[in-house]
Amino acid sequence: MKRSTLYRLTLFLALLLSTGAIALTDKQQALVDKVQAFYGDRAGQRMLAWRRVMDENQTQHHTHKLNAINDFFNQLIFINDDVLWGQEDYWATPLEFIGSAGGDCEDFSIAKYFALRELGIDDSQLRLVYVKALTLNQFHMVVAYYPTPTSVPLLLDNLNGEILPATERPDLLPIYSFNGSKLWLMKQKGQGQLSGQSSRLSTWNDLRQRASDTPLRRPIINLDE
């Protein structure tokens, strides 16, 4: 494993050791135990570090929550689906993303979206946005946060760790976006045109069902080795 990869992964352990133990609900502890048993001890440490971030940010302002979640998940490793999962396009659940220690842009964005929803940010303020990353000349996904219904959204991205307004990301060309209920065609850097229900997206439906049922899938390579 590359030295930079090992460095990123040690940040989780450093976060764990920074303060005392946290209190977990029975359900949260069961999920930590499940991920640790399936993926190994380091995955269990990452789960505890994630739960610490969630616990410490429950009552924080939205801006603080955005930064904490963006910074936490951006520590994980970017790796393409065909390398990690052996298929061209696989949307991992947040537990699979944390457990396997890496994923592609969809996995970064999905994990951030679910974490922000758990932290109490309303679904109407969040969207998963498919864009064209012009510099890389490839499709990409980010999370958009709307402080108000008419605001230019702030973008959470694994390519650029700084949370910026969409108008300050000329390298990204929006295509469409969705959240838990709606789907938009993105014709501008703001709202876009409502195009129906997000249930039209079969991959999104499948991901949400798996996230609810919490099954786990083992990657074909171990990023913790």
Side-chain angles (χ1 to χ4, degrees), residues 3-67:
R3 185 174 180 178
S4 60
T5 298
L6 287 171
Y7 173 75
R8 285 196 298 270
L9 292 177
T10 60
L11 293 178
F12 289 103
L13 183 56
L15 179 60
L16 272 177
L17 297 177
S18 62
T19 54
I22 59 172
L24 300 177
T25 66
D26 290 344
K27 181 178 180 180
Q28 290 168 351
Q29 186 63 59
L31 291 177
V32 171
D33 294 342
K34 180 176 181 177
V35 169
Q36 181 169 338
F38 194 82
Y39 294 106
D41 290 343
R42 289 185 181 177
Q45 292 169 358
R46 288 191 292 273
M47 284 289 292
L48 288 173
W50 170 54
R51 291 315 318 175
R52 180 180 301 285
V53 170
M54 298 296 287
D55 182 68
E56 292 177 348
N57 286 278
Q58 284 290 340
T59 60
Q60 295 291 341
H61 186 272
H62 281 195
T63 300
H64 195 99
K65 292 177 180 180
L66 294 175
N67 281 287

Side-chain angles (χ1 to χ4, degrees), residues 23-159:
L24 300 177
T25 66
D26 290 344
K27 181 178 180 180
Q28 290 168 351
Q29 186 63 59
L31 291 177
V32 171
D33 294 342
K34 180 176 181 177
V35 169
Q36 181 169 338
F38 194 82
Y39 294 106
D41 290 343
R42 289 185 181 177
Q45 292 169 358
R46 288 191 292 273
M47 284 289 292
L48 288 173
W50 170 54
R51 291 315 318 175
R52 180 180 301 285
V53 170
M54 298 296 287
D55 182 68
E56 292 177 348
N57 286 278
Q58 284 290 340
T59 60
Q60 295 291 341
H61 186 272
H62 281 195
T63 300
H64 195 99
K65 292 177 180 180
L66 294 175
N67 281 287
I69 294 304
N70 196 55
D71 290 345
F72 177 81
F73 283 112
N74 279 356
Q75 296 177 82
L76 275 78
I77 302 161
F78 179 87
I79 184 169
N80 289 321
D81 285 338
D82 58 343
V83 178
L84 186 62
W85 301 108
Q87 70 183 66
E88 183 177 350
D89 188 28
Y90 179 71
W91 289 12
T93 67
L95 295 186
E96 291 171 327
F97 182 47
I98 295 170
S100 61
D104 66 3
C105 61
E106 288 96 347
D107 304 322
F108 280 87
S109 297
I110 288 165
K112 293 172 186 179
Y113 168 84
F114 276 96
L116 292 171
R117 290 289 291 117
E118 185 179 336
L119 286 175
I121 296 182
D122 194 85
D123 198 42
S124 64
Q125 294 183 279
L126 295 171
R127 297 186 195 175
L128 292 157
V129 188
Y130 256 117
V131 301
K132 181 74 174 292
L134 300 178
T135 303
L136 299 176
N137 192 31
Q138 66 184 37
F139 293 110
H140 181 54
M141 183 183 280
V142 298
V143 178
Y145 166 75
Y146 291 77
T148 71
T150 59
S151 296
V152 172
L154 302 174
L155 301 185
L156 286 69
D157 186 10
N158 65 290
L159 292 179

